[in-house]
Amino acid sequence: MTTDYDLMIIGGGINGCGIARDAAGRGLRVALAEKDDLAQATSSSSTKLFHGGLRYLEYFEFRLVREALIERETLLRAMPHISWPMRFVLPYHEDMRFENETPTSRLMSRVMPWMKGRRPAWLIRLGLFMYDHLGGRKILPGTKTVDLKSGVEGAPLEDKFAFAYEYSDCWIEDSRLVALNARDAEARGATIHTRTEVKAAERTGDHWTVTLSGPEGQRQITARMLVNTGGPWVRQIIGEVARVNTSENIRLVRGSHIVTKRLYDHEKCYFFQGTDGRIIFAIPYETDFTLIGTTDAEHTDPSVKPECTEAERDYLLNFANGYFKQELTAEDVVWTYSGVRPLYDDGATSATAATRDYVLKVNEAGGAPMLNVFGGKITTYRRLAESALEKIAPFFDDVPGPWTAGVPLPGGNFAVDGVRAQIDALKALAPYLDDRWAKRLVRAYGTEAAEIVAGTASAENLGKDFGATLTEAEVRWLMTREYATRAADIVWRRSKLGLRMTQAEIDALDIWMQNEGASVAA
Ligand SMILES: Cc1cc2nc3c(=O)[nH]c(=O)nc-3n(C[C@H](O)[C@H](O)[C@H](O)COP(=O)(O)OP(=O)(O)OC[C@H]3O[C@@H](n4cnc5c(N)ncnc54)[C@H](O)[C@@H]3O)c2cc1C
């Protein structure tokens, strides 16, 4: 039978959109359905790092760390607008401890029992040496030692910290990454449905009949293969949507972040180690803020919206207060967000210890195939998509090989160090933009920012002003190109302007989008 599509992808997080882009680029006929907005769940709630995962070295997750380290620079080249290098300052103090369960801590307790779970400085340096060399580096600088007594890095920290190690990783605007992958998938032939839930999928011999429920009501489509990238819902989609038996399980681990007003003057991040074996980051965020996270808490039901509990907030405040001179209180928290990690259940006892690697499983059960995706990191999404295509290709004829490495996402077609030049060019095109506004547009849209401001001589030419430099021209772009239909899609996922807009402004934007929606789409 000729089906409507080759692949029906369930879930518009980073893994679904990454696979959609890769598969569409290889000529497969792809449809993707996301029940809410793109990246509404985990993929907008991460710590937003393209990182190797320094702490995973203690769990001997060398495959994952190596793949992620190599990937950082591949991704950076393909999206220099939404990703950029960052330096991480790791202050050392002898009270820092391992998590008891790590293979490293077990080994250390055997060979150096007198350390009693403490992390020695030489071990951290060894880990950073591996971090520098496991994945190779061409763009990112390596590790160095920082004197906290004399450098700016030490200024906001308590005096007991004398030195730190400083290493590299990268920032990524997680939810923009998802939207740009979806756009590129569509440009290569995929059909992207947002606010469309996959209600049921029935295996009918060699194909699937899939029931979608979205803005146009309920309808059915057919596909040869189902790809389940439901993130926290992956298990539920297997059991309740596709009604397939499986022994595979996931573990839902909530992670929360708090945001405060900017806590220090430089652009580096901090990597803080706790006495409980966990680590947290403090990261310069959206120019005027500091992002602090994250936690590891069991979360049993994906349908319960993850929220930062008071206990998690206080844990993060206490953790940070162990490092910063400035005493932080609940009053300093201006925003929180929370997400659920859909981790593959590898039987680890603690949430912190559960593997962060991904696992792909094909279920054929005598009929049309279904690929289920468990776990994964934002950092490894492109490699995960390539691995998924390796599993998908045998079911189709003549599927070409991998192609996405280094291929720019929309707006990312400029040099890794070219952001300043892009900002200057944009200001030359639209001289009414100040540096901060131009930078925001370039960081969001890259070379495409020029299209948003094209032909405008003044800010008034950009149409209605919704506040915090969000104008009608940008909103129309996001509605027509990036699947935004509600104010929250724009102020919390396509941007973080929600941190600067009042609730009244956000409500007015929402009303405008509902009223103008049909005409904008037309
Ligand atoms: C606190 C935290 C911090 C993290 N930090 C980092 C980091 O710094 N770096 C990094 O690399 N990784 C990080 N991660 C991991 C990363 O965010 C996740 O691995 C990744 O976002 C998972 O993406 P996904 O596409 O699998 O899931 P999701 O983004 O959750 O997408 C699944 C989608 O499926 C949709 N869906 C479910 N059921 C249906 C249905 N029936 N029909 C239609 N749609 C459906 C959902 O609405 C959802 O949007 C972090 C995770 C958390 C929670």
Side-chain angles (χ1 to χ4, degrees):
M1 160 178 166
T2 312
T3 52
D4 301 322
Y5 296 99
D6 293 326
L7 304 184
M8 174 70 227
I9 302 178
I10 310 176
I14 190 52
N15 289 328
C17 293
I19 294 173
R21 177 192 188 219
D22 193 336
R26 298 194 203 202
L28 291 171
R29 299 169 309 139
V30 177
L32 179 147
E34 163 53 53
K35 69 184 169 69
D36 296 310
D37 181 26
L38 294 175
Q40 179 138 346
T42 315
S43 297
S44 57
S45 329
S46 79
T47 309
K48 306 171 206 310
L49 302 178
F50 276 156
H51 64 155
L54 185 57
R55 80 174 188 87
Y56 311 144
L57 284 178
E58 287 188 359
Y59 291 89
F60 296 171
E61 295 231 34
F62 299 116
R63 193 213 73 80
L64 171 66
V65 177
R66 186 176 140 73
E67 181 174 283
L69 285 171
I70 297 170
E71 202 52 14
R72 294 177 307 184
E73 292 196 5
T74 308
L75 296 171
L76 188 56
R77 284 198 185 89
M79 52 196 87
H81 48 338
I82 59 169
S83 175
W84 54 90
M86 273 188 158
R87 296 290 284 168
F88 288 75
V89 177
L90 188 161
Y92 181 74
H93 193 265
E94 58 187 17
D95 286 343
M96 282 134 201
R97 281 170 195 277
F98 290 114
E99 227 238 329
N100 305 335
E101 236 193 284
T102 69
T104 311
S105 70
R106 282 199 292 266
L107 188 68
M108 283 293 292
S109 64
R110 235 173 287 141
V111 295
M112 293 175 74
W114 60 91
M115 288 300 290
K116 296 199 166 64
R118 289 192 294 266
R119 282 188 180 110
W122 64 262
L123 191 72
I124 296 177
R125 188 67 193 87
L126 178 68
L128 285 164
F129 178 83
M130 289 169 73
Y131 207 71
D132 275 349
H133 294 93
L134 258 181
R137 285 172 298 106
K138 292 200 177 66
I139 303 170
L140 302 173
T143 299
K144 64 173 192 176
T145 306
V146 180
D147 178 2
L148 294 176
K149 297 284 177 206
S150 58
V152 287
E153 299 85 356
L157 301 182
E158 285 187 2
D159 293 336
K160 67 179 177 190
F161 300 104
F163 82 98
Y165 299 112
E166 185 185 302
Y167 70 95
S168 291
D169 264 324
C170 297
W171 179 259
I172 175 64
E173 299 284 1
D174 54 3
S175 39
R176 292 210 52 72
L177 176 70
V178 179
L180 294 183
N181 269 277
R183 265 190 65 192
D184 205 44
E186 188 174 283
R188 294 171 197 277
T191 308
I192 308 289
H193 301 282
T194 61
R195 301 208 147 85
T196 302
E197 183 169 358
V198 176
K199 288 283 190 191
E202 196 180 338
R203 214 173 221 150
T204 331
D206 65 351
H207 69 274
W208 291 89
T209 302
V210 181
T211 307
L212 304 177
S213 173
E216 311 96 30
Q218 196 141 309
R219 67 207 168 86
Q220 290 189 322
I221 56 126
T222 54
R224 284 178 62 192
M225 187 166 184
L226 211 58
V227 179
N228 174 5
T229 49
W233 292 266
V234 63
R235 187 68 184 71
Q236 188 176 316
I237 290 168
I238 300 174
E240 293 168 30
V241 175
R243 302 226 210 104
V244 165
N245 290 329
T246 177
S247 55
E248 243 66 60
N249 243 321
I250 56 158
R251 182 152 183 182
L252 301 180
V253 178
R254 189 175 64 246
S256 296
H257 292 82
I258 57 174
V259 174
T260 65
K261 288 265 188 255
R262 192 179 174 127
L263 295 176
Y264 53 89
D265 288 336
H266 60 80
E267 289 305 320
K268 295 176 185 176
C269 312
Y270 289 103
F271 178 113
F272 293 151
Q273 307 175 79
T275 47
D276 61 353
R278 292 195 68 261
I279 63 111
I280 62 164
F281 295 103
I283 306 175
Y285 187 55
E286 295 286 322
T287 314
D288 301 317
F289 302 91
T290 300
L291 175 66
I292 300 174
T294 176
T295 56
D296 282 305
E298 299 287 349
H299 190 87
T300 43
D301 184 352
S303 59
V304 174
K305 190 178 177 320
E307 275 168 345
C308 179
T309 61
E310 276 184 21
E312 286 175 282
R313 180 201 63 195
D314 293 344
Y315 170 83
L316 291 172
L317 288 170
N318 283 338
F319 205 136
N321 281 338
Y323 281 85
F324 286 123
K325 276 184 192 141
Q326 177 184 343
E327 185 75 8
L328 296 171
T329 68
E331 249 92 89
D332 294 305
V333 176
V334 297
W335 187 52
T336 66
Y337 67 85
S338 199
V340 176
R341 304 175 183 89
L343 306 180
Y344 184 70
D345 192 350
D346 61 351
T349 47
S350 87
T352 311
T355 182
R356 265 53 176 172
D357 211 346
Y358 53 82
V359 175
L360 307 178
K361 297 271 178 172
V362 176
N363 177 302
E364 284 184 79
M370 171 179 198
L371 173 67
N372 295 304
V373 174
F374 301 90
K377 304 280 299 168
I378 297 266
T379 314
T380 48
Y381 88 93
R382 196 195 63 81
R383 296 286 287 119
L384 182 151
E386 285 184 346
S387 305
L389 263 293
E390 263 173 43
K391 302 257 184 213
I392 291 167
F395 296 100
F396 299 91
D397 296 329
D398 306 323
V399 177
W403 64 274
T404 53
V407 177
L409 283 176
N413 51 333
F414 64 95
V416 168
D417 58 358
V419 165
R420 187 64 246 172
Q422 289 295 323
I423 295 170
D424 293 340
L426 192 68
K427 284 168 73 179
L429 192 67
Y432 57 86
L433 293 177
D434 64 20
D435 210 65
R436 201 172 160 131
W437 189 355
K439 183 174 174 196
R440 181 179 77 72
L441 293 176
V442 168
R443 278 293 180 209
Y445 307 104
T447 53
E448 294 190 329
E451 288 183 50
I452 297 176
V453 302
T456 56
S458 70
E460 286 71 48
N461 295 146
L462 293 170
K464 194 170 162 49
D465 175 2
F466 292 99
T469 69
L470 180 68
T471 64
E472 187 176 332
E474 189 175 351
V475 171
R476 282 180 184 275
W477 173 279
L478 290 169
M479 291 176 78
T480 51
R481 311 284 184 106
E482 293 196 14
Y483 320 93
T485 59
R486 312 261 167 89
D489 304 350
I490 291 182
V491 305
W492 293 119
R493 287 179 288 277
R494 307 305 181 281
S495 77
K496 289 291 180 286
L497 289 171
L499 285 168
R500 301 174 198 285
M501 292 169 74
T502 63
Q503 192 54 49
E505 286 173 332
I506 296 171
D507 293 344
L509 169 66
D510 205 47
I511 292 167
W512 188 90
M513 288 174 74
Q514 300 319 310
N515 291 341
E516 299 289 316
S519 73
V520 172

